[in-house]
Every structure is written in structure tokens, then in C-alpha cells.
Amino acid sequence: MFDFLSNYNDPTFLGAFWMTVKLTVFSAIGSLIWGTLLAAMRVSPVPLMRGFGAVYVNIVRNIPLTVIIVFSSLGLADIFRVTMGAGGDVKLQAFRLAILGFVAYTAAFVCEALRSGINTVPVGQAEAARAIGLSFSQVLGLIVLPQAFRAVIGPLANVLIALTKNTTVAAAIGVAEAAYLMKGMIEKDAQTLLIGAIFAFGFVVLTLPTGLILGWLSKRLAVKR
Amino acid sequence: MKLRKVSAAAATALVLALTATACGGDDSSNESGSGSGSGGGDKIKVGIKYDQPGLGLKNPDGSFSGFDVDVATYVAKELGYEPKQIEFVETKSADRENALARGDVKFIAATYSINDERAKLVDFAGPYLLAHQDLLVKADSDIAEGTDLNGKILCSVTGSTSAENVKKDIAPKAQLKEYGGYSECIAGLQSGAVDAVTTDDSILAGFAAQENYKGQFKLAGLKLSNENYGIGVKKGDTATVDKINAALEKMVSDGAWETAVKENFGPAEYKNEPAPKIGDIK
């Protein structure tokens, strides 16, 4: 029943899911960094930065992800010739462009999750920190963000799970991940239900543990107030 | 009525999901039966592509155009249906076999290449067009042979076999760039980000014949493979196959076939093959 899975060599079944994992991990790291910076901008005392953060988040999170990913390839790569340091390697370039798109998009959601976490930190904490002479970046980095992160592990887990599933959009620009392989398989084997079920199961295997572990962590690490 | 249709569809989906077999056939035929009954007058559902200019395209105003559409309209007329009785349904490549098995459409005219694997699942009438895998390049490009592609960037659609054929047999050092649709490839070709686009020459000609690309591209004329387009019919429905074959023969003999080819591919200076011998499936 499953012997057709071994008919595929480029990518193989496991290779395709490995690509999904790589896309997810790199994009998650990137969007955590960029999202944190955006959140810092949104709560900063500088109006220009607050404005930039708000405009960025509200625009980017309202653009369909497919549009962002296809634009990163058609617009950035094909028209503006951004090569992402991949030399002439088209596949590597598509992979990096996809990550760039995922980071740009997911960071908006990370930023908003984090901002809600910052709101859970009592104002007195920041006031006390300022009173002992800490600068804005010290207040944020030492006092507010550590507490905020512990409050939003649950919401960030949701963003991570959404990101894992969103990586399937990369198939639109030819990144050989799970959805890419699935498309080829359905076209060649015409076993839509079986193949669909296998790939759905693959994603459950990826995301269920993520949800369980981070859910457990969020309970353990939450700041009890 | 709408609610009933939705719940019937949901029930069908549930049955299919639970049994994961083809047992849902009865349900879906009932459903489509009641659907066409409420429409008033007989309708025929025909599967086409919506996104291939020159072959099967849904225009912004909701009308349909292309060679496949012309053939389907002619065949439907011979089967006793006026153009306004035809309901065109989008059948994507991956869903064609299922759409026929479920009875969603009476027949499919959608760049459906006849091959052995597919012939096991559906019956084919035709062939009605012989296409060849080819390359579309810029009008001033120096790519003349398949081997010229080595070191160049070749664009095709995710999951299509044509690009794999080129990489495996003709130009192993060509780089493959893949998009969700051919339109993106054509845009890349226009901007110079890709050097060539590959698929059937009829599809490429359809794109090149579009108003905004006229004169910019040319076909390399490589004839890398033979693709015989057939009209897909539900497995075992030989009566319909015979009727469609008779219609296609009439279309070729009365000149409507030639006219349709010239109209749809003409602007791309596509040198079409003569009409294939109808009924010669192998």
C-alpha cells in the first residue's frame, strides 16, 4: 500500500519533510529575532520607531503569505536580482528567499504576541528599574522582556505551529518541501486521499510534540502573580 | 436548496473520508442529478483548464476561450448540446481522473496527454492534437538545441515532468527554477531571470500569443516528446468515446479544427502538426 513512497528520489519522502523542518527552524529563529526588535520598537519612547513598528506589523500581517513568498521570488529575485548570496544556485536561492519571506511575515505575529506579554508586566517593574538608573534598553532587556517571554510561550507556540504549516507555501516558488512532494505524488499516482492522509499525518507528527512541549513549558515558566 | 446541496456534499465527503474507497459514487451521482434538474433543461458539464491561454482560459468577464474550449464546444454540439447548455468546470491536472470517476464532468478536454498509466483509469477519445515538449525562449535568444541549456536556468511548474526530462536526458547541468504556474515562469523569462521555459509547445504558444507578450518570445522547435491530447471519458463509457470520436472526425473534415488552431495559436507563429488520426490511441 505504501510502496509508492519509495518511488520518489528527488526529493525523497524524508528529505521533503527534512526541508520542511529546516524552513521552520531557520524561519523561527529569524522571526524571533526580528519580531523581538519590532516589539521593542513598538514600546520604545521614540515616536518614529513606534510608528515604523506599527505600520510594518499592520501592513505585513494583512498581506496573504502566498503573495509575500511569490513576491520574494518574482519581485526580489527575478526583477531586482537579489541573489541572497547563493551565487548561481537557483534552488539555494529559492530556499533563502522563502525563509526571508517567512521571517518578514511571522515576525509581525511574534511582535504582537510579545507586545501582549509586555502588557502583562506590571508598570511598577519598569518604574522601579528606571528609578535605579537603568536605560531604556536595560529596562527592556533585563526586566521587562524576560518576564514578557515567560508569559507568552503559549501564544508563541501557536505562531510556531502556524509557521510549520505555512512553510508549505514555499512549494509555490519551487522549494522541495513536503507540499511540493505531495503535489508531484498526487499528480503521478492519483491516490489523492491516501497521499493527503500521509502528509497530514506527517505534519501532525511535526506539530503535536511542539504544542505539547511548549504547552508544558509555558505552565512551568509562567510568572505567578 | 443550497443548504441541502451543501449538506449532501458534506455527507459525501464524510462517507468518503470514513470508507476511503470509491463507494461514494452513488451519492455523488444523485447529487449531480438533482443539481442539473433544478437548473431547468439539460446541461452538460465539461472539464477544462482555467489558466492556460490559447487552450483553456477563463477570461475576466467570465467567458471561456482557447483551443480546448473550441474543441469541447464543437464536441458538445455534436452530442446535442447548444453552447449555452455547456457548463465548464475547472479540472486541475491532479484531479482529472477523480472528476471523471465521480461523474462530475461528462468529458475532459484539458491538455490531457494520453499515456498508459492514465489509460488504465480513464478512457480516451481522440487524439485531437499532437503537441511536443519544447522550449520557449526570448526572441533574440541563442538557445537552439537542448544542450545549449547546460548552465542556463530553466523554468517549469512544480511537479511537472517536462523539466525533469530535460534535466535527466538533455541538459544535466541546467538549473531548474520552479513556480506554481507558467505565468510566473513567463514573467521571469521576460525579465531575463530565467533563460527558457519548458512544457508542451501548444501551451507555450498560447502564452506567447497573449497580447502583452506578442513578438517577445519564440519557440525553439525541439520536439522533445510526443504528447497526444485526448478527451478523457469515464472508464467503460465506450458509447461516449465513439460519439466524441465521430464528432472530432467531423471537426477535422469540415475545417473547423484548422480554423480553431489558427485562431488560438496563430499569433505565436506556432507550426502545428496536422490533425492526428482520430481513434488511434496507441
Side-chain angles (χ1 to χ4, degrees), chain A residues 70 73-74 77-79 81 88-91 93 171-174 180 183-184 186-188 190 192-193, chain B residues 16 20 93-94 97-98 117 121 153 158-159 161 164 175-180 184 187-188 191-193:
Chain A
V70 171
S73 185
L74 262 182
D78 288 3
I79 294 171
R81 300 299 169 82
D89 190 338
V90 168
K91 289 282 167 195
Q93 186 186 325
I173 59 168
Y180 170 97
K183 199 175 164 187
I186 288 177
E187 178 124 5
K188 278 168 209 149
T192 319
L193 281 178
Chain B
L16 277 176
S93 294
E97 289 81 12
N98 287 329
E117 264 173 69
L121 300 166
I153 298 174
T158 311
T161 47
E164 284 168 34
Q175 290 213 61
L176 199 54
K177 190 173 181 115
E178 287 168 295
Y179 275 121
E184 288 99 313
S191 78

Side-chain angles (χ1 to χ4, degrees), chain B residues 32-47:
Chain B
S32 66
S34 68
S36 62
S38 66
D42 264 359
K43 284 213 164 191
I44 185 168
K45 288 190 176 177
V46 178

